[in-house]
Amino acid sequence: ALARPGSCVSDSAKRTVVCVGIAVQDLIFGLPELPACEGKYRARAFASAGGGMAASAAAAIGRLGTSVELWTRLGDDAIGDAIVAELETFGVGVQWCKRTVGQVSPVSAVLVDDRGDRLLVNYSDPSSDTDATWLPVHRLADSAAVLVDTRWENGAIAALDAARAVGIPAVLDADSAPVSEGVLQRATHCVFSREALRQRAQTPDITAALRIVADMTDGIVAVTRGAAGVDWLVEGVLHHQAAFQVEAIDTLGAGDVFHGALAVALSDAMALPDAMRFAAAAAALKCTRFGGRRGAPTYAEVQALLDT
């Protein structure tokens, strides 16, 4: 079920979206409820799956039937081997995944309860090289869009600058704080999580926070709020897309799927409200499936939900 969905492939299937940022191996444990204290707990379900914001967005893009590459840094270890191998099953181009001897590839332990809520512990090797001069940014001249996360600032800036130079959509997945102003200023679409937006704007008020951050960039500023949907500003006017009502089983990776689907929609030149609706539908479908990004939907599945 990882193949492109035939006649339902998006218009951007022959053009590439480039994702730049972190790739992780997730060890996912399903529990009735998240632990409240120390002790031993027995999981009801288990999955070992790839994670990480940019990597999961890339996997979601591949599942949607769009050509995609991931530019990332990994260790030359067994964890990195597993990450690369799984990305390839989604159709993600991994030729620009830099492997470094002696570096530990990122890994996370994820607990997911019966409501779909999660607790995550991540390890990223602090010795990872931050250099981004090796990135093939010239390839963006023939690309449809770029998506970056906040975990590799030098890589994000290099990709965003190149995307701006050639005039393609540049999506920032601002799902974790801090979000530097340098990265924020370069993206055409800055999509925050609630917590990252609160920390960046220093206020819990969503509308006020969006307006504060909008003054820092000429890009579109948005925030995903889970079951409360997504809000965004265009020229000072607040817009809203409600979340699709589904029975959530696992929210792990839902934000990454949203960002990946948004990049696909923008690369297809969808109007922004339609792009947000498309991304919201993709994220909702992912929440109905256990296993992190393995629950990412196909283009046909998203279209079927939109048609209802």
Side-chain angles (χ1 to χ4, degrees):
L2 296 180
R4 291 175 178 169
S7 60
C8 294
V9 175
S10 72
D11 290 340
S12 63
K14 294 183 179 180
R15 295 177 290 127
T16 298
V17 175
V18 173
C19 297
V20 183
I22 193 170
V24 180
Q25 186 68 16
D26 287 337
L27 304 179
I28 309 166
F29 301 86
L31 299 167
E33 57 186 21
L34 297 179
C37 59
E38 65 176 337
K40 296 182 178 180
Y41 300 87
R42 184 176 295 275
R44 291 183 177 178
F46 172 78
S48 178
M53 294 181 288
S56 292
I61 292 167
R63 180 65 64 82
L64 288 168
T66 295
S67 174
V68 60
E69 292 181 1
L70 176 66
W71 300 354
T72 190
R73 305 161 298 161
L74 295 169
D76 189 19
D77 55 10
I79 298 171
D81 292 342
I83 291 171
V84 168
E86 190 194 31
L87 286 168
E88 290 180 319
T89 70
F90 285 91
V92 178
V94 294
Q95 63 269 38
W96 298 105
C97 293
K98 183 179 180 181
R99 309 289 299 273
T100 301
V101 175
Q103 178 180 321
V104 178
S105 296
V107 64
S108 294
V110 186
L111 308 184
V112 181
D113 68 14
D114 285 349
R115 298 185 304 173
D117 293 332
R118 61 193 170 92
L119 185 155
L120 186 150
V121 179
N122 170 260
Y123 176 78
S124 294
D125 194 332
S127 69
S128 297
D129 188 359
T130 61
D131 174 61
T133 58
W134 59 272
L135 288 177
V137 293
H138 64 279
R139 294 175 63 84
L140 296 182
D142 298 318
S143 299
V146 68
L147 179 150
V148 305
D149 65 30
T150 59
R151 297 300 184 91
W152 180 22
E153 184 166 325
N154 289 348
I157 288 175
L160 291 174
D161 281 344
R164 282 274 186 159
V166 297
I168 60 174
V171 178
L172 168 62
D173 180 350
D175 191 40
S176 62
V179 181
S180 77
E181 200 159 334
V183 174
L184 187 62
Q185 290 171 343
R186 290 170 163 86
T188 61
H189 297 77
C190 311
V191 187
F192 283 79
S193 65
R194 285 169 292 186
E195 181 58 22
L197 179 66
R198 183 194 68 78
Q199 292 191 33
R200 176 70 264 193
Q202 291 297 295
T203 176
D205 184 283
I206 292 293
T207 302
L210 285 172
R211 296 191 186 282
I212 290 169
V213 175
D215 288 338
M216 303 176 185
T217 177
D218 61 359
I220 301 297
V221 177
V223 58
T224 56
R225 300 196 289 138
V230 57
D231 299 301
W232 69 96
L233 284 178
V234 177
E235 297 181 348
V237 178
L238 185 67
H239 299 262
H240 177 73
Q241 168 62 51
F244 287 79
Q245 299 302 305
V246 297
E247 182 180 352
I249 293 175
D250 176 11
T251 60
L252 178 65
D256 305 324
V257 170
F258 179 96
H259 290 88
L262 179 63
V264 168
L266 294 173
S267 73
D268 280 344
M270 284 189 197
L272 189 56
D274 294 334
M276 291 292 188
R277 187 166 180 263
F278 181 86
L285 287 169
K286 184 269 140 314
C287 290
T288 65
R289 303 161 180 173
F290 180 78
R293 72 183 183 207
R294 290 186 178 179
T298 65
Y299 198 89
E301 290 171 331
V302 176
Q303 193 59 57
L305 179 57
L306 292 174
D307 288 345
T308 65

